[in-house]
Amino acid sequence: MSTSRKDFLVVAAIDFGTAYSGYAFSSIQEFKSEPLKISANTWIGGSLMSQKTSTCVLFDKDKTFNFKKFGFDAEDAYADFAMDDNHKDYYYYRRFKMELFNKLMLAMDVFSACIKFLKDDCIGKIRLQLPEIRDTDIRWVLTVPAIWNVSKQFMRESAAKAGIPNESLLIALEPEAASLCCRHSPMTSLKGGTIDITVHEVMPGGGFKV
């Protein structure tokens, strides 16, 4: 397994959250010169503009389980269908991520479809800035809660089904990713909601001790 590759040109991270999801990316060159220069999408839902969209997904209710929409678009479409009493022809999942941890196993098709949507949308935004970028030039990071254990493999398999090869994927614990970000952020800019704690000791040579 070649997860130690050093020649990725872009790092793209997908935050597949319980309530909201999104992605961000940065080129290696930008990171070297300005670590906090990170690009993210702006999602629009009604009058709301946000760097994350709701973790909702809509599928056709048929044998092929066709993906229709994700995020705010899924919410709006399902609401329109419900107003016309046509919603019974669709599957609508909302805030389902933690059901995986609770052992109420939703189909891998649901998770992989959501990851694929976020991946494809992210690649589109990357290529607006870097038109020549290849899929193999992108290091993908998928964050998972610290409480997950066996479920990490489930997410890795979901990512593979979404078209992210294992050699390009890094599974990162959410608090550890936040800890690394904090190394570059001034304390006055730090804010958040739910908190997980990870303490890292920076070792000589730049390594970490948890």
Side-chain angles (χ1 to χ4, degrees), residues 86-190:
N86 293 327
H87 61 289
K88 296 177 182 178
D89 294 328
Y90 297 89
Y91 286 116
Y92 176 67
Y93 295 109
R94 179 174 180 267
R95 298 192 178 189
F96 54 87
K97 175 185 170 185
M98 293 310 292
E99 296 299 326
L100 174 61
F101 176 71
N102 292 333
K103 309 302 181 185
L104 300 176
M105 298 292 288
L106 293 173
M108 186 177 291
D109 289 344
V110 176
F111 286 83
S112 61
C114 296
I115 294 170
K116 184 179 187 303
F117 170 82
L118 291 167
K119 179 207 71 171
D120 291 347
D121 204 75
C122 183
I123 290 176
K125 296 298 187 299
I126 292 172
R127 286 185 173 146
L128 289 177
Q129 298 184 21
L130 302 167
E132 304 301 319
I133 205 76
R134 301 171 299 175
D135 289 355
T136 53
D137 294 328
I138 303 173
R139 157 70 89 184
W140 291 96
V141 179
L142 183 61
T143 58
V144 298
I147 60 173
W148 284 13
N149 187 8
V150 177
S151 303
K152 293 179 190 175
Q153 183 60 28
F154 182 97
M155 294 301 285
R156 186 174 291 277
E157 292 175 11
S158 297
K161 189 170 183 179
I164 300 177
N166 193 51
E167 60 269 20
S168 299
L169 178 65
L170 178 66
I171 300 290
L173 297 180
E174 291 169 353
E176 292 184 350
S179 174
L180 293 173
C181 181
C182 288
R183 294 185 64 197
H184 302 287
S185 299
M187 291 299 295
T188 54
S189 70
L190 300 179

Side-chain angles (χ1 to χ4, degrees), residues 7-129:
D7 55 343
F8 292 106
L9 302 181
V10 173
V11 174
I14 294 175
D15 181 13
F16 186 55
T18 302
Y20 295 94
S21 297
Y23 59 76
F25 61 90
S26 176
S27 71
I28 297 301
Q29 292 303 317
E30 287 177 334
F31 177 78
K32 289 178 179 178
S33 61
E34 193 175 347
L36 295 181
K37 187 177 180 181
I38 301 168
S39 299
N41 189 43
T42 299
W43 306 90
I44 300 175
S47 60
L48 176 66
M49 297 179 64
S50 172
Q51 290 188 335
K52 287 189 177 183
T53 188
S54 58
T55 305
C56 301
V57 62
L58 185 68
F59 293 91
D60 274 343
K61 191 175 181 180
D62 60 22
K63 293 181 180 179
T64 58
F65 209 55
N66 287 329
F67 171 87
K68 296 295 291 183
K69 294 181 181 295
F70 182 83
F72 295 141
D73 289 343
E75 287 184 335
D76 293 343
Y78 188 73
D80 289 343
F81 291 141
M83 287 183 64
D84 296 331
D85 200 30
N86 293 327
H87 61 289
K88 296 177 182 178
D89 294 328
Y90 297 89
Y91 286 116
Y92 176 67
Y93 295 109
R94 179 174 180 267
R95 298 192 178 189
F96 54 87
K97 175 185 170 185
M98 293 310 292
E99 296 299 326
L100 174 61
F101 176 71
N102 292 333
K103 309 302 181 185
L104 300 176
M105 298 292 288
L106 293 173
M108 186 177 291
D109 289 344
V110 176
F111 286 83
S112 61
C114 296
I115 294 170
K116 184 179 187 303
F117 170 82
L118 291 167
K119 179 207 71 171
D120 291 347
D121 204 75
C122 183
I123 290 176
K125 296 298 187 299
I126 292 172
R127 286 185 173 146
L128 289 177
Q129 298 184 21

